[in-house]
Amino acid sequence: MDSGVIMPASTLLNSCTITQVETDEVTYWHLELPRHDLIVANGLEAESYIDVGNRSFFAASDSHTPPDRERRTTADYCRPFSNDGPIVQAVRERLKDRAFALGWTLEEVSEPKMHIVADRIVIEPTFSGQNARFILPAEASDVWLVSETFVPYQVIDVADYRRLGVQLRTLSVSDGLSVNRHISLEDQSLCTGFHAAEENGSWRWTSARARLPAELWAECRDIAILHIGFFPPMLPRWVSPLAERGSEASHPAETASPLLLAVAS
């Protein structure tokens, strides 16, 4: 009997060799067999479809289980199923070793990669230690803090599955004249693209795009100077072998995938 286990591909994401690629549309084709089994799709083993209560997910299927099919559980899988615990962690460690063998490296970073998009104009920051300054027109209305992101679980062994951007420490605005305002990280206007404030407002994480409402600098004249205090990035960044050779590396954005393994067409 063959050995091995089945686990969701999403548990193996590591921000380097295994990623979920953003795409406009994906079509899944599933093959349902009399019993759950493994099939070879595009040279890789994939599972056949097993009805664990998700049949209504498919557009080309009615929402009812056929009379000769009973709803199954993970106990009916053709191999042991695992989506957490030591088995998954062991596989993740092997994948990390494989990434190193393929030439991937981990790079320590001192500053988060971020910029502001104000009314479709990109504004780069000026850094000084753990502080960043952005200068934008006072009349700017559609303003977003855009940053590189990471998922802690994909880099270190912690059960934090959030997609995190910048760890804000302080936030303030001024115009160099009469306005000099500190903004609480728990300000209710900071909602779109922000995770909840932590440790009584001591810090707050952004996501990939965090909206900064224009009301924050409504009294500024001519320019609004946005000051951001941040904590240094808590994790190293994966760097591809292509980047180290001077080529542009591809780091596709990740999106949620509802299925374990599938053949796409």
Side-chain angles (χ1 to χ4, degrees), residues 35-37 50 70-79:
R35 64 180 179 83
H36 187 242
D37 210 337
I50 182 171
E70 296 180 359
R71 183 169 296 181
R72 304 296 184 179
T73 69
T74 55
D76 298 302
Y77 277 43
C78 64
R79 299 289 188 278

Side-chain angles (χ1 to χ4, degrees), residues 49 51-66 71:
Y49 172 71
D51 186 353
V52 289
N54 61 346
R55 186 176 295 275
S56 60
F57 173 83
F58 300 101
S61 168
D62 60 34
S63 60
H64 304 289
T65 301
R71 183 169 296 181

Side-chain angles (χ1 to χ4, degrees), residues 2-264:
D2 293 337
S3 60
V5 298
I6 291 177
M7 59 187 62
S10 60
T11 65
L12 304 179
L13 294 170
N14 59 9
S15 299
C16 57
T17 57
I18 299 181
T19 62
Q20 289 175 299
V21 180
E22 184 175 1
T23 184
D24 293 332
E25 181 176 291
V26 174
T27 300
Y28 293 95
W29 293 92
H30 281 263
L31 179 62
E32 185 174 16
L33 304 175
R35 64 180 179 83
H36 187 242
D37 210 337
L38 299 181
I39 58 178
V40 177
N42 290 342
L44 295 175
E45 287 187 337
E47 64 165 346
S48 64
Y49 172 71
I50 182 171
D51 186 353
V52 289
N54 61 346
R55 186 176 295 275
S56 60
F57 173 83
F58 300 101
S61 168
D62 60 34
S63 60
H64 304 289
T65 301
D68 60 338
R69 294 285 189 271
E70 296 180 359
R71 183 169 296 181
R72 304 296 184 179
T73 69
T74 55
D76 298 302
Y77 277 43
C78 64
R79 299 289 188 278
F81 175 83
S82 180
N83 62 357
D84 57 19
I87 294 178
V88 171
Q89 188 56 37
V91 174
R92 291 181 59 83
E93 288 298 322
R94 291 180 62 182
L95 290 170
K96 185 176 181 179
D97 292 341
R98 181 174 180 271
F100 285 132
L102 290 172
W104 286 81
T105 57
L106 286 171
E107 175 188 71
E108 297 289 341
V109 291
S110 59
E111 299 170 350
K113 287 189 174 182
M114 60 178 171
H115 60 268
I116 275 182
V117 177
D119 297 329
R120 299 186 179 184
I121 303 299
V122 175
I123 301 174
E124 298 291 344
T126 299
F127 287 103
S128 177
Q130 296 176 16
N131 298 278
R133 182 190 67 186
F134 297 90
I135 301 177
L136 53 147
E139 66 272 15
S141 59
D142 185 29
V143 179
W144 297 81
L145 177 62
V146 181
S147 66
E148 184 178 70
T149 62
F150 69 97
V151 178
Y153 174 76
Q154 295 181 12
V155 184
I156 61 176
D157 184 21
V158 294
D160 189 344
Y161 303 93
R162 296 176 298 170
R163 179 156 292 285
L164 305 177
V166 180
Q167 189 178 14
L168 301 179
R169 177 171 46 84
T170 60
L171 185 63
S172 62
V173 295
S174 67
D175 63 359
L177 295 171
S178 59
V179 176
N180 189 7
R181 180 186 305 130
H182 170 76
I183 301 167
S184 169
L185 296 183
E186 297 179 292
D187 192 299
Q188 293 185 356
S189 68
L190 304 177
C191 50
T192 303
F194 289 87
H195 295 284
E198 301 177 62
E199 293 296 321
N200 297 318
S202 297
W203 70 78
R204 189 169 189 178
W205 284 99
T206 69
S207 58
R209 288 171 53 86
R211 183 177 180 274
L212 298 171
E215 63 191 72
L216 298 179
W217 54 87
E219 299 175 7
C220 290
R221 297 170 55 186
D222 299 328
I223 62 171
I225 306 173
L226 179 67
H227 303 268
I228 292 178
F230 58 86
F231 289 102
M234 61 180 288
L235 295 174
R237 179 189 303 119
W238 280 108
V239 179
S240 77
L242 290 177
E244 291 194 334
R245 290 198 298 267
S247 301
E248 181 178 359
S250 175
H251 292 276
E254 294 180 296
T255 55
S257 174
L259 300 177
L260 184 68
L261 292 172
V263 183

